[in-house]
Amino acid sequence: LPPVAAQYRTRIVRGGAEQIVEWRFWRAPDRLVSENLTARTAEEWQREGATLFLKRAFHEDRRGIEYQMDDLRIAGELPQWTRQALLLDPQVLAALTLRRGLLEGNTRHRRYVGEFGGSRWDVTLHIEQRLPVRIERRRDGIIERTELVALHALAAAPWQPTPTDTYPFIDYADLGDMESDPFVQKVH
C-alpha cells in the first residue's frame, strides 16, 4: 500500500444532532497512525513481522497505554492489518456492488453500494492510493459520513503526528494494578 498522509472529516447525524470529528491518518509500510484532532487522542499501530503493537495516546494528559499482541487478543481488539491500513473492512467492500468507476481530473475512483451488517453503505475509493474518499453508512436513523479532506504522499505531508516520545506509557497488563490512578480512571 502506498505511504500516505490524509485528513478526514466524519459527520455523525443522530436524531437531528450532528457531531463532527476531524482526524488525520499516516500510513507507512509497518506503521499506521490515526490522530483524532477533535478529541486530541491518537492510535499508533506498529507491525514487526506477524506481531502487532498498539499505543493509544491521550495528548491532553500527555500519557498513553501500550498494548502487546496478547493484550489485544484478550481485549478482543486484534484487527487485521489490512483493515487498519485501508480504513475499511475488506469484508464490507467484498459484500458491496461496484456501481461505477469515476474519474476526477487524473484521479480514478470506484464507487460501491449495498447492505452489510444491517447497514446501508455507499463507499468511494481512491484507486491508486487505496484509501476511501467517502464512506457513508446508514443504520437505524443514524448517518455516518466520512470524507477525505486532504491527501499527500507521506514524504510530502504538511503535518506530522503529535510527538509522544516523552509520554509515559502504561502497559495494558498493569492497568488493573493502577485502578486509583486518575488517568486510568479517566480512560476507563
Side-chain angles (χ1 to χ4, degrees):
L1 297 173
V4 296
Q7 182 163 332
Y8 286 91
R9 178 176 297 120
T10 299
R11 289 189 161 120
I12 302 167
V13 178
R14 178 182 297 125
E18 181 178 65
Q19 175 187 4
I20 297 175
V21 177
E22 298 277 341
W23 54 283
R24 291 183 179 146
F25 176 71
W26 294 265
R27 180 175 67 201
D30 292 314
R31 183 175 179 242
L32 306 171
V33 178
S34 60
E35 190 164 337
N36 182 326
L37 302 175
T38 307
R40 300 211 8 87
T41 60
E43 280 193 0
E44 178 182 341
W45 290 92
Q46 189 75 36
R47 178 174 65 174
E48 293 179 14
T51 305
L52 296 179
F53 301 94
L54 169 64
K55 285 184 178 180
R56 287 197 169 124
F58 300 84
H59 300 307
E60 297 277 326
D61 299 291
R62 301 187 55 74
R63 292 181 74 183
I65 301 172
E66 191 168 40
Y67 302 78
Q68 304 296 318
M69 199 158 166
D70 287 339
D71 301 330
L72 295 168
R73 219 179 260 115
I74 290 167
E77 293 189 45
L78 186 63
Q80 298 174 338
W81 182 263
T82 304
R83 177 183 183 175
Q84 296 297 113
L86 296 175
L87 300 177
L88 184 67
D89 188 337
Q91 290 182 340
V92 171
L93 202 55
L96 304 180
T97 302
L98 176 62
R99 181 60 63 88
R100 65 177 176 218
L102 307 165
L103 187 62
E104 291 181 19
N106 293 329
T107 306
R108 294 181 316 142
H109 297 143
R110 287 196 183 128
R111 183 172 175 221
Y112 297 85
V113 296
E115 302 276 335
F116 181 82
S119 295
R120 177 91 183 134
W121 294 82
D122 188 338
V123 177
T124 302
L125 293 179
H126 188 295
I127 301 304
E128 287 82 18
Q129 300 302 332
R130 307 272 314 264
L131 276 179
V133 173
R134 182 173 176 271
I135 300 172
E136 183 174 292
R137 185 175 133 189
R138 296 173 179 254
R139 181 183 182 139
D140 301 329
I142 300 169
I143 302 168
E144 184 177 323
R145 182 178 299 127
T146 298
E147 295 179 305
L148 181 66
V149 174
L151 179 62
H152 304 276
L154 186 61
W159 10 256
Q160 297 299 316
T162 301
T164 61
D165 50 336
T166 61
Y167 293 9
F169 279 85
I170 300 168
D171 192 297
Y172 176 78
D174 294 335
L175 287 179
D177 297 333
M178 302 179 72
E179 292 175 343
S180 61
D181 183 298
F183 170 72
V184 172
Q185 290 175 354
K186 179 180 173 182
V187 297
H188 264 298

